[in-house]
Amino acid sequence: MAPQHDAPLETLFLPFGGALDWPSGPVLFLRARDGWPLRERAQPGQLVCEQSFRPFAAALEASGWTVRDEAQLAADSTRYPVVLVLPPRQREEARALFARALALAAPGGILVACQHNNEGARSGESDLQQLAGLGGKLTKNHCRVYWTAPLNGQHDAALAARWAALDAPRGILGGRFQSRPGIFAWDRIDPASALLVEQLPADLAGHGADLGAGFGYLSSEVLSRCPNVTGLDLYEAEGRALALAQVNLQALGSKATLRYLWQDVTAGIEGRYDFIVTNPPFHTPARADRPDIGQRFIAVAAQALRPGGRLWLVANRHLPYEQILNESFGEVRVAAERDGFKLIEATRGRSGGRA
């Protein structure tokens, strides 16, 4: 769910009713988040939202807004008089989003974007100015909202075509995986996951889960190293990452039964598992430090494991996970430590909780 005070979201709507007029027709909102500014400005049925991060998408749906994914928008011929954008921090991803927003705007339409000053606002403003020119800008709430003049073909079409390809899926690590900018550790194997894989026991067997699967690295290693795994469920809140994981794991040709679940693990999961692997996130998409997310992953894993099931978890060494681990599992041990990371094996008690 979006926080109660969402400064970029609130600032995004600041120009309307003053510098800009709110349209009567449909409005597209890319990387949308729910909040009171939407209800204050948009009419029911007017707003079409795109959001690939499941907690934000769920909040939008719960408020009654229409949520579409990237493929659905691409297949729809609708063009919008206003396209709202909350650009991501990753610059290639943001530039590609600007190019796509431009393509989805109607003739004479405007593109309005907003970022926090610490999340690339100046770069975003500069990029949009380079791409299509600026019609205006405002600053408030430590954020910058900026917009184009009415779009009548004055944008740089060649630049838009180049930028549109900047976050396209591509091969990484010698072509072993497909990934794209904006995904966690999109062009490398992060050292925490590498530590887990180095210690991964080959005797993992049965039906397992990967919580926060990203583009599928941990899952691919489980399937490659553990021949007795019969099924693996991948849980991932970021839809862009989950789509890549499906491509990457299908390329393995594993005989295990695989499921890809666009789901917020912190909301709970269904299923009973023999093992779980996870490198849980510990911050929000806005980079706020949130150790409670990892703590919730641990609690959910404990509930989902069968008695005697094992959790393999890797995390930054400083994160306060020991209490919830000791409360939730029968046995807990630190299997390895390196470069500021800790790898923990936790076994659920045979009675279903602590031993």
Side-chain angles (χ1 to χ4, degrees), residues 229-230 252-258:
V229 171
T230 58
L252 290 178
S254 172
K255 295 181 180 179
T257 300
L258 305 177

Side-chain angles (χ1 to χ4, degrees), residues 27-354:
V27 173
L28 178 62
F29 190 179
L30 301 179
R31 303 299 169 89
R33 297 197 291 266
D34 188 38
W36 63 262
L38 280 67
R39 292 181 284 278
E40 186 175 81
R41 185 63 62 179
Q43 298 299 312
Q46 183 182 28
L47 203 61
V48 176
C49 301
E50 180 190 87
Q51 176 54 258
S52 58
F53 185 58
R54 184 57 189 158
F56 292 165
L60 290 161
E61 290 168 344
S63 291
W65 305 114
T66 299
V67 180
R68 298 283 182 264
D69 63 26
E70 186 173 340
Q72 288 171 324
L73 287 179
D76 187 350
S77 61
T78 303
R79 294 297 176 261
Y80 298 86
V82 169
V83 180
L84 306 172
V85 186
L86 291 175
R89 184 185 185 118
Q90 211 283 339
R91 196 168 189 180
E92 287 182 300
E93 183 188 6
R95 283 177 162 177
L97 192 64
F98 281 146
R100 195 157 62 85
L102 201 65
L104 291 165
I110 58 170
L111 192 166
V112 186
C114 185
Q115 292 167 280
H116 196 280
N117 291 339
N118 294 331
E119 297 290 328
R122 286 189 179 275
S123 295
E125 179 190 325
S126 175
D127 284 345
L128 187 60
Q129 182 169 18
Q130 183 182 0
L131 181 64
L134 289 185
K137 59 184 176 181
L138 294 168
T139 58
K140 191 176 182 179
N141 303 320
H142 304 288
C143 297
R144 184 177 299 259
V145 57
Y146 46 94
W147 59 92
T148 66
L151 295 163
N152 290 300
Q154 74 272 33
H155 66 278
D156 187 330
L159 184 63
R162 291 197 300 272
W163 282 10
L166 287 178
D167 79 336
R170 70 201 68 175
I172 63 167
L173 303 175
R176 181 182 173 193
F177 297 103
Q178 288 288 305
S179 189
R180 64 193 297 191
I183 302 302
F184 171 70
W186 78 271
D187 59 350
R188 66 191 187 281
I189 303 305
D190 73 281
S193 294
L195 177 61
L196 193 158
V197 165
E198 287 175 16
Q199 302 291 327
L200 194 68
D203 66 347
L204 291 182
H207 191 187
D210 182 352
L211 306 187
F215 62 74
Y217 170 66
L218 282 182
S219 289
S220 71
E221 292 289 350
V222 167
L223 295 172
S224 299
R225 294 166 181 259
C226 307
N228 293 321
V229 171
T230 58
L232 192 62
D233 292 351
L234 285 75
Y235 291 86
E236 174 55 51
E238 176 50 62
R240 298 167 77 247
L242 190 64
L244 293 164
Q246 188 165 1
V247 170
N248 291 328
L249 266 62
Q250 285 176 343
L252 290 178
S254 172
K255 295 181 180 179
T257 300
L258 305 177
R259 291 201 306 161
Y260 305 90
L261 301 162
W262 184 44
Q263 194 165 326
D264 175 13
V265 168
T266 66
I269 64 176
E270 295 183 3
R272 301 293 283 172
Y273 296 106
D274 299 300
F275 68 89
I276 289 174
V277 297
T278 185
N279 177 6
F282 59 93
H283 53 69
T284 67
R287 309 285 177 172
D289 200 8
R290 290 282 305 279
D292 60 298
I293 296 176
Q295 291 167 345
R296 179 61 182 155
F297 268 55
I298 293 167
V300 168
Q303 293 166 356
L305 282 166
R306 294 187 174 95
R310 290 185 287 173
L311 169 68
W312 287 84
L313 173 141
V314 67
N316 288 52
R317 186 181 293 157
H318 74 276
L319 291 171
Y321 291 164
E322 281 68 24
Q323 180 176 346
I324 184 67
L325 283 162
N326 289 324
E327 289 174 351
S328 304
F329 289 89
E331 298 179 18
V332 178
R333 73 179 184 96
V334 177
E337 291 188 83
R338 188 180 68 209
D339 300 331
F341 299 104
K342 56 189 175 187
L343 174 63
I344 295 170
E345 180 190 18
T347 305
R348 192 175 187 216
R350 290 291 175 181
S351 61
R354 295 198 58 174

